[in-house]
Amino acid sequence: DDGRYQQRFLLNATWWGGPPAPIIFYTGAEGNGVDTFWPHCGPVLELARQLNAMLIVGEMRFFGKSMPFGESGSFEHTPERLGLLSIDQTLADYATLITHLREAFSAQSSPVICVGGSLAGSLSFFMRAKYPTVVDMSLAASAPILGYPKLTDPYGWYRVATNTFEKQAPGCPDKVRARFASLLTANARSVLLRGRPLESATFRR
C-alpha cells in the first residue's frame, strides 16, 4: 500500500481544438458518481462546445467508484482515516488530476476553467483560490462558500433557519430545543445507570 487510490473521471474531447484551447473541469461532489452527471450536464457541454474545450468531470473521493479502500473497506470507522474525506483532500486530488491530464495531452498551454454548483461550486471556487497556478478561472453557481470556517459566522445559517421556523410555527424552536434536552438527559442517565449509550429499543414504535 503506497497511499494511492484509483480515481475515476469522465473526459469528453468532442469539441476540443487541442492546445491552447481551454479545459473545463467539473469539480464533482457528493452523489452516486460521475456517470450520473451526464443526464444533467447540458449547460456544461454547451459551454464546452462554444469554447472548443475539453470537458473533464472529476469524481470526489469516497463516492461512486473512487473508493480509496475498496467498496466495503472505505466505510470502516478507524482513527487513522479521520480527515481523509475533506475539502482539502478533494482539492488536492483534483489539482493532481488536472496536472496529470494536462501533461498527458501536452496541454500545459490550455487554460483550466473549474465549474460546479452547490458543493461542486464551492469546490470550483476553492480550486481557483488554493491552486491559482493550476486553475485559471472558476465558475461557481449556488456555492455557499461563506459557510466555511473563518469566512463568516458559522452559526448564521442556523439562526436564519430557526427564525424562519419561528415565523411559520411560533414556539416550534423552543419545542425542538426541549426535546433535544430530554434526549441528552435520557442518554446521560442511561450511560450512568447501565454503562452504555441509550439503546434504540427505547424508541419502539
Side-chain angles (χ1 to χ4, degrees):
D1 181 8
D2 61 358
R4 301 183 184 184
Y5 77 100
Q6 295 291 317
Q7 183 175 25
R8 191 168 62 154
F9 63 91
L10 298 180
L11 188 150
N12 186 324
T14 301
W15 302 286
W16 191 45
I23 296 172
I24 296 175
F25 187 90
Y26 186 90
T27 47
E30 81 286 10
N32 295 324
V34 291
D35 46 345
T36 63
F37 169 77
W38 289 116
H40 315 286
C41 69
V44 180
L45 283 172
E46 178 60 21
L47 182 63
R49 185 186 68 80
Q50 291 181 9
L51 297 178
N52 292 325
M54 176 191 294
L55 173 61
I56 302 168
V57 182
E59 185 169 78
M60 189 176 185
R61 55 169 53 201
F62 291 101
F63 291 96
K65 300 294 184 182
S66 298
M67 296 292 175
F69 304 101
E71 290 291 332
S72 58
S74 292
F75 298 99
E76 293 178 1
H77 297 260
T78 56
E80 64 271 14
R81 295 183 184 175
L82 288 175
L84 294 182
L85 175 57
S86 68
I87 297 297
D88 286 339
Q89 292 284 354
T90 301
L91 298 179
D93 286 345
Y94 288 158
T96 301
L97 178 58
I98 291 170
T99 301
H100 168 74
L101 291 174
R102 287 175 98 174
E103 292 176 354
F105 286 91
S106 299
Q108 287 87 347
S109 62
S110 295
V112 175
I113 307 168
C114 279
V115 300
S118 191
L119 173 56
S122 296
L123 294 173
S124 175
F125 166 80
F126 287 131
M127 282 297 296
R128 170 61 181 157
K130 187 164 186 176
Y131 294 99
T133 60
V134 176
V135 176
D136 299 274
M137 179 180 175
S138 169
L139 178 61
S142 302
I145 58 174
L146 294 181
Y148 289 84
K150 299 181 181 179
L151 293 179
T152 190
D153 179 1
Y155 301 104
W157 184 89
Y158 297 104
R159 277 197 296 274
V160 171
T162 300
N163 292 337
T164 300
F165 279 106
E166 180 62 36
K167 289 179 181 178
Q168 296 299 318
C172 175
D174 289 335
K175 291 179 180 178
V176 172
R177 291 189 187 99
R179 297 304 175 269
F180 270 109
S182 297
L183 285 172
L184 291 173
T185 300
N187 189 50
R189 185 179 301 119
S190 174
V191 172
L192 181 63
L193 296 178
R194 303 185 183 90
R196 60 178 183 271
L198 184 64
E199 296 176 344
S200 58
T202 306
F203 301 102
R204 291 174 181 163
R205 295 184 178 90

Coordinates of all heavy atoms in Angstrom, one line a residue, residues 97-133:
L97 N -5.1 15.5 -10.5 CA -5.7 15.0 -11.7 C -5.6 16.0 -12.9 O -5.2 15.6 -14.0 CB -7.2 14.7 -11.4 CG -8.0 14.2 -12.6 CD1 -7.4 12.9 -13.2 CD2 -9.4 13.9 -12.2
I98 N -5.8 17.2 -12.7 CA -5.7 18.3 -13.7 C -4.3 18.3 -14.2 O -4.0 18.3 -15.5 CB -6.1 19.6 -13.2 CG1 -7.6 19.7 -12.9 CG2 -5.8 20.7 -14.2 CD1 -8.1 20.9 -12.2
T99 N -3.3 18.3 -13.3 CA -1.9 18.4 -13.7 C -1.5 17.2 -14.6 O -0.8 17.3 -15.6 CB -1.0 18.5 -12.5 OG1 -1.3 19.7 -11.8 CG2 0.5 18.6 -12.9
H100 N -2.0 16.0 -14.1 CA -1.7 14.8 -14.9 C -2.3 14.8 -16.3 O -1.6 14.5 -17.3 CB -2.2 13.6 -14.1 CG -2.2 12.3 -14.9 ND1 -1.1 11.6 -15.2 CD2 -3.2 11.6 -15.5 CE1 -1.4 10.5 -15.9 NE2 -2.7 10.5 -16.1
L101 N -3.5 15.2 -16.4 CA -4.2 15.2 -17.7 C -3.6 16.3 -18.7 O -3.5 16.0 -19.9 CB -5.7 15.4 -17.5 CG -6.4 14.2 -16.9 CD1 -7.9 14.5 -16.6 CD2 -6.3 13.0 -17.8
R102 N -3.2 17.4 -18.1 CA -2.6 18.4 -19.0 C -1.2 17.9 -19.5 O -0.9 18.1 -20.7 CB -2.3 19.7 -18.2 CG -3.5 20.5 -17.9 CD -3.2 21.7 -17.0 NE -3.1 22.9 -17.8 CZ -2.9 24.1 -17.2 NH1 -2.9 24.2 -15.9 NH2 -2.8 25.2 -17.9
E103 N -0.5 17.2 -18.7 CA 0.7 16.6 -19.2 C 0.5 15.5 -20.2 O 1.1 15.4 -21.2 CB 1.5 16.0 -18.0 CG 2.1 17.1 -17.1 CD 2.8 16.5 -15.9 OE1 2.7 15.2 -15.7 OE2 3.4 17.2 -15.1
A104 N -0.6 14.7 -20.0 CA -0.9 13.5 -20.9 C -1.3 14.0 -22.2 O -1.0 13.4 -23.2 CB -2.0 12.7 -20.2
F105 N -2.0 15.2 -22.3 CA -2.4 15.7 -23.6 C -1.5 16.9 -24.1 O -1.9 17.6 -25.0 CB -3.9 16.2 -23.4 CG -4.9 15.1 -23.4 CD1 -5.3 14.6 -22.2 CD2 -5.4 14.6 -24.5 CE1 -6.2 13.6 -22.1 CE2 -6.4 13.6 -24.5 CZ -6.8 13.0 -23.3
S106 N -0.4 17.0 -23.4 CA 0.5 18.1 -23.8 C -0.2 19.5 -23.8 O -0.1 20.3 -24.8 CB 1.2 17.9 -25.2 OG 1.9 16.7 -25.1
A107 N -1.1 19.7 -22.8 CA -2.0 20.8 -22.8 C -1.6 21.8 -21.7 O -2.5 22.5 -21.1 CB -3.4 20.4 -22.6
Q108 N -0.3 22.0 -21.5 CA 0.1 23.0 -20.4 C -0.3 24.4 -20.8 O -0.4 25.2 -19.9 CB 1.6 22.9 -20.2 CG 2.1 21.6 -19.5 CD 2.3 20.4 -20.4 OE1 1.9 20.5 -21.6 NE2 3.0 19.4 -19.9
S109 N -0.5 24.6 -22.1 CA -0.9 26.0 -22.6 C -2.4 26.2 -22.6 O -2.8 27.3 -22.8 CB -0.3 26.2 -24.0 OG -0.9 25.3 -24.9
S110 N -3.1 25.1 -22.2 CA -4.6 25.2 -22.2 C -5.0 25.8 -20.8 O -4.8 25.1 -19.8 CB -5.2 23.9 -22.5 OG -5.0 23.5 -23.8
P111 N -5.7 26.9 -20.8 CA -6.3 27.4 -19.5 C -7.3 26.4 -19.0 O -8.1 25.8 -19.7 CB -6.9 28.7 -19.9 CG -7.2 28.7 -21.3 CD -6.1 27.8 -21.9
V112 N -7.4 26.3 -17.7 CA -8.4 25.4 -17.0 C -9.4 26.3 -16.3 O -9.1 27.2 -15.6 CB -7.7 24.5 -15.9 CG1 -8.7 23.7 -15.2 CG2 -6.6 23.6 -16.6
I113 N -10.7 25.9 -16.6 CA -11.8 26.6 -16.0 C -12.6 25.6 -15.2 O -13.1 24.6 -15.7 CB -12.8 27.1 -17.1 CG1 -12.0 28.0 -18.1 CG2 -14.0 27.9 -16.5 CD1 -12.9 28.3 -19.4
C114 N -12.6 25.8 -13.9 CA -13.4 24.9 -13.0 C -14.8 25.4 -12.9 O -15.1 26.6 -12.8 CB -12.8 24.9 -11.6 SG -11.3 23.8 -11.5
V115 N -15.8 24.4 -13.0 CA -17.2 24.8 -12.9 C -17.9 23.8 -11.9 O -17.4 22.7 -11.7 CB -17.9 24.7 -14.3 CG1 -17.2 25.7 -15.3 CG2 -17.9 23.3 -14.8
G116 N -19.0 24.3 -11.4 CA -19.8 23.5 -10.5 C -20.9 24.2 -9.8 O -20.9 25.5 -9.8
G117 N -21.8 23.5 -9.2 CA -22.9 24.2 -8.5 C -23.1 23.5 -7.1 O -22.8 22.3 -6.9
S118 N -23.5 24.3 -6.1 CA -23.7 23.8 -4.8 C -22.4 23.5 -4.2 O -21.4 24.2 -4.3 CB -24.7 22.7 -4.7 OG -25.1 22.4 -3.4
L119 N -22.2 22.3 -3.6 CA -20.9 21.9 -3.1 C -19.9 21.9 -4.2 O -18.7 22.3 -4.0 CB -21.0 20.5 -2.4 CG -19.6 19.9 -1.9 CD1 -18.9 20.8 -1.0 CD2 -19.9 18.6 -1.3
A120 N -20.3 21.4 -5.4 CA -19.3 21.4 -6.5 C -18.9 22.8 -6.9 O -17.8 23.1 -7.3 CB -20.0 20.7 -7.7
G121 N -19.8 23.8 -6.7 CA -19.5 25.2 -6.9 C -18.5 25.7 -5.9 O -17.6 26.4 -6.2
S122 N -18.7 25.3 -4.7 CA -17.7 25.7 -3.6 C -16.3 25.1 -3.9 O -15.3 25.8 -3.8 CB -18.1 25.2 -2.2 OG -19.3 25.8 -1.9
L123 N -16.3 23.8 -4.4 CA -15.0 23.2 -4.7 C -14.4 23.9 -5.9 O -13.2 24.1 -5.9 CB -15.2 21.7 -5.1 CG -15.7 20.8 -4.0 CD1 -16.0 19.4 -4.5 CD2 -14.6 20.7 -2.9
S124 N -15.2 24.4 -6.9 CA -14.7 25.1 -8.0 C -14.1 26.4 -7.6 O -12.9 26.7 -8.0 CB -15.9 25.4 -9.0 OG -15.5 26.2 -10.0
F125 N -14.7 27.1 -6.7 CA -14.2 28.4 -6.2 C -12.9 28.2 -5.4 O -11.9 28.8 -5.6 CB -15.2 29.1 -5.3 CG -14.6 30.2 -4.5 CD1 -14.4 31.4 -5.0 CD2 -14.2 30.0 -3.1 CE1 -13.8 32.5 -4.3 CE2 -13.6 31.0 -2.4 CZ -13.4 32.2 -2.9
F126 N -12.9 27.1 -4.6 CA -11.7 26.9 -3.7 C -10.5 26.4 -4.6 O -9.3 26.6 -4.2 CB -12.0 25.9 -2.6 CG -12.8 26.4 -1.5 CD1 -14.0 25.8 -1.1 CD2 -12.5 27.6 -0.9 CE1 -14.8 26.3 -0.1 CE2 -13.3 28.2 0.1 CZ -14.4 27.5 0.5
M127 N -10.8 25.7 -5.7 CA -9.7 25.3 -6.6 C -9.0 26.5 -7.1 O -7.7 26.5 -7.2 CB -10.3 24.5 -7.8 CG -10.6 23.0 -7.4 SD -9.1 22.1 -6.9 CE -8.2 22.1 -8.4
R128 N -9.7 27.5 -7.5 CA -9.1 28.7 -8.1 C -8.3 29.5 -7.0 O -7.2 30.0 -7.2 CB -10.1 29.6 -8.7 CG -9.7 31.0 -9.1 CD -8.5 31.0 -10.1 NE -8.1 32.4 -10.4 CZ -6.9 32.7 -10.9 NH1 -6.0 31.7 -11.2 NH2 -6.6 33.9 -11.1
A129 N -8.9 29.5 -5.8 CA -8.3 30.2 -4.6 C -7.1 29.5 -4.1 O -6.1 30.2 -3.8 CB -9.3 30.4 -3.5
K130 N -7.1 28.2 -4.1 CA -6.0 27.5 -3.4 C -4.9 27.1 -4.5 O -3.7 26.9 -4.1 CB -6.5 26.3 -2.7 CG -5.4 25.5 -1.9 CD -6.0 24.6 -0.9 CE -4.9 24.0 0.0 NZ -5.4 23.1 1.1
Y131 N -5.3 26.8 -5.7 CA -4.4 26.4 -6.7 C -4.4 27.3 -7.9 O -4.8 26.9 -9.0 CB -4.7 25.0 -7.1 CG -4.5 23.9 -6.0 CD1 -5.6 23.5 -5.3 CD2 -3.3 23.4 -5.7 CE1 -5.5 22.6 -4.3 CE2 -3.1 22.5 -4.7 CZ -4.2 22.1 -4.0 OH -4.0 21.1 -3.0
P132 N -4.1 28.6 -7.8 CA -4.1 29.5 -8.9 C -3.1 29.3 -10.0 O -3.3 29.8 -11.1 CB -3.8 30.9 -8.2 CG -3.0 30.5 -7.0 CD -3.6 29.2 -6.5
T133 N -2.1 28.4 -9.7 CA -1.2 28.1 -10.8 C -1.7 26.9 -11.6 O -1.1 26.6 -12.7 CB 0.2 27.7 -10.2 OG1 0.1 26.6 -9.3 CG2 0.8 28.9 -9.5

